[in-house]
């Protein structure tokens, strides 16, 4: 008799009147909000403007969804294009099936477009959003719980996941790999936040750390899964992908640290965020006010004064962020 296990939802859809609310889609949307919220806080701390992260996410998120779905459909094409399957199901994203590798790759393209339109360096944006992406994945994995998918091998552990029988699955108790990956992603988010504060990571190295740490966990979690997948030399395709991406991320961190040490001082040149300055800056401002220097400079040329303040604000914000870690 099984005394303890994690139950699975009886359905993945909750109807709010005539409107169906799908658990998988809800988790994805909630994850996006978490990523934008945390990314915005980190971007402001680096000297950026509030709202910039959300503006760029408008480009990154749709690209990421398309890329994630494409990766899934291409690597699991037999689920949609084999004999007896309906290819239209490839478009039913609400039924599950997003490949993180495609989502990050295409999402980066969307983010690059958004950053280019704002004159912002993509690596700096990626560093700010990295922990939020990890938390978004942690939340999004619970969508697999609603769909009763991506579980591991049979187990009798107290935290086993109970799966009900259907046309594509056998009832039983299995390793909750969705939960393992969710918890791992939370750990990755905290790791990146700590490392960024401790070592003042810049030029994309915080994002590379997130990628490397995620791949390290995804490799062994993927190995536990029992759902159908393509194998190369005895290993699942996603295991090989995790190994290759992990190596690339580590190489990037090493090379980037040597070529471009430190972090960006200005991440958004046109930022108008008030600068948190020290006593020295406050004394200088008071002196300027007393002599009327600031007022006279602004009166002489308001436009030039505004641009000068923009640059000073951006540099001050970047320096303040570096000091806080």
């Amino acid at each position: 008799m099984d005394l303890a296990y994690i139950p699975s939802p009886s359905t993945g859809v909750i109807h709010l009147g005539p409107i169906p609310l799908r658990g998988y889609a809800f988790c994805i949307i909630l994850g996006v909000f978490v990523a934008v919220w945390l990314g915005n806080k980190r971007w402001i701390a680096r000297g950026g403007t509030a709202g910039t992260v959300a503006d760029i996410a408008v480009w990154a998120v749709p690209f990421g969804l398309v890329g994630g779905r494409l990766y899934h459909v291409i690597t699991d094409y037999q689920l949609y294009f084999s004999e007896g399957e309906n290819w239209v199901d490839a478009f039913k994203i609400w039924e599950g099936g997003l490949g993180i590798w495609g989502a990050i790759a295409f999402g980066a393209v969307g983010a690059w477009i958004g950053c280019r339109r704002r004159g912002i360096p993509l690596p700096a944006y990626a560093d700010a959003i990295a922990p939020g992406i990890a938390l978004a994945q942690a939340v999004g994995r619970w969508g697999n719980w609603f769909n009763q998918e991506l579980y591991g091998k049979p187990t009798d552990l107290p935290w086993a996941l109970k799966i009900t029988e259907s046309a594509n699955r056998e009832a039983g108790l299995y390793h909750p790999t969705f939960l393992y990956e969710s918890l791992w992603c939370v750990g990755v988010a905290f790791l990146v936040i700590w490392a960024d504060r401790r070592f003042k990571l810049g030029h994309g190295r915080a994002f590379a750390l997130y990628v490397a740490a995620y791949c390290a966990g995804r490799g062994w979690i993927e190995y536990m899964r029992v759902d159908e997948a393509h194998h190369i030399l005895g290993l699942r395709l996603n295991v090989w992908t995790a190994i290759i991406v992990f190596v690339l991320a580590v190489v990037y961190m090493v090379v980037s640290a040597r070529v471009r040490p430190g972090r960006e001082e200005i991440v958004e040149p046109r930022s108008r965020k008030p600068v948190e300055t020290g006593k020295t800056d406050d004394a200088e401002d008071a002196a300027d006010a007393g002599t009327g220097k600031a007022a006279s400079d602004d009166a002489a040329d308001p436009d030039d004064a505004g641009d000068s303040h923009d640059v000073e604000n951006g540099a001050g914000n970047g320096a303040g962020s570096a000091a806080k870690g």
Side-chain angles (χ1 to χ4, degrees):
M1 180 179 179
D2 299 310
L3 299 179
Y5 57 82
I6 300 174
S8 291
S10 57
T11 178
V13 183
I14 300 176
H15 290 275
L16 301 178
I19 303 175
L21 177 62
R22 300 183 182 276
Y24 185 87
F26 175 76
C27 291
I28 297 297
I29 294 172
L30 181 59
V32 170
F33 275 103
V34 170
V36 172
W37 169 77
L38 181 57
N40 184 63
K41 291 176 65 67
R42 286 172 53 80
W43 185 252
I44 294 174
R46 287 288 305 274
T49 303
T52 296
V53 168
D55 290 343
I56 297 176
V58 170
W59 289 91
V61 172
F63 272 75
L65 291 175
V66 172
R69 188 59 176 176
L70 278 176
Y71 181 90
H72 167 72
V73 172
I74 291 173
T75 56
D76 290 310
Y77 61 88
Q78 71 282 352
L79 300 177
Y80 308 101
F81 303 105
S82 298
E83 184 178 356
E85 303 293 343
N86 186 358
W87 63 270
V88 177
D89 292 342
F91 296 95
K92 297 179 179 179
I93 191 174
W94 57 87
E95 294 183 354
L98 287 175
I100 186 61
W101 317 111
I104 294 297
F106 274 62
V109 174
W112 175 79
I113 295 174
C115 286
R116 186 175 178 83
R117 290 168 60 90
R118 297 290 293 263
I120 294 172
L122 176 61
Y125 179 84
D127 284 341
I129 202 71
I133 295 177
L135 290 181
Q137 290 177 248
V139 175
R141 273 304 177 202
W142 284 87
N144 302 128
W145 177 61
F146 280 99
N147 286 352
Q148 296 196 47
E149 60 187 2
L150 304 189
Y151 45 87
K153 301 174 182 178
T155 181
D156 57 357
L157 293 171
W159 56 84
L161 175 66
K162 185 175 183 180
I163 296 296
T164 59
E165 186 173 2
S166 74
N168 299 320
R169 60 178 181 258
E170 181 179 349
L173 298 177
Y174 301 90
H175 277 286
T177 52
F178 84 90
L179 178 60
Y180 297 161
E181 185 168 338
S182 179
L183 295 176
W184 182 269
C185 287
V186 172
V188 169
F190 281 106
L191 171 65
V192 174
I193 292 173
W194 170 83
D196 195 23
R197 291 177 177 176
R198 175 66 177 80
F199 302 106
K200 297 179 176 60
L201 302 176
H203 301 288
R205 289 188 287 277
F207 184 81
L209 175 61
Y210 144 71
V211 172
Y214 171 74
C215 289
R218 178 62 184 268
W220 68 267
I221 294 173
E222 183 75 22
Y223 189 76
M224 297 177 63
R225 286 167 50 174
V226 295
D227 53 305
E228 185 178 355
H230 297 287
H231 287 72
I232 300 175
L233 299 178
L235 292 179
R236 294 167 65 98
L237 174 61
N238 282 333
V239 174
W240 283 110
T241 304
I243 293 173
I244 294 172
V245 176
F246 172 84
V247 172
L248 292 175
V250 172
V251 169
Y252 177 86
M253 283 191 290
V254 174
V255 174
S256 175
R258 293 180 178 179
V259 175
R260 306 187 71 182
R263 62 163 41 156
E264 301 89 342
E265 292 186 358
I266 300 176
V267 296
E268 192 170 359
R270 300 297 298 176
S271 171
R272 297 182 182 274
K273 171 183 174 291
V275 184
E276 296 181 3
T277 56
K279 293 182 179 179
T280 302
D281 292 335
D282 291 339
E284 292 176 355
D285 291 343
D288 288 343
T291 61
K293 177 181 178 182
S296 62
D297 288 345
D298 288 350
D301 194 340
D303 293 334
D304 289 345
D307 292 341
S308 174
H309 290 326
D310 286 342
V311 174
E312 290 173 2
N313 285 346
N317 285 338
S321 174
K324 291 186 290 184

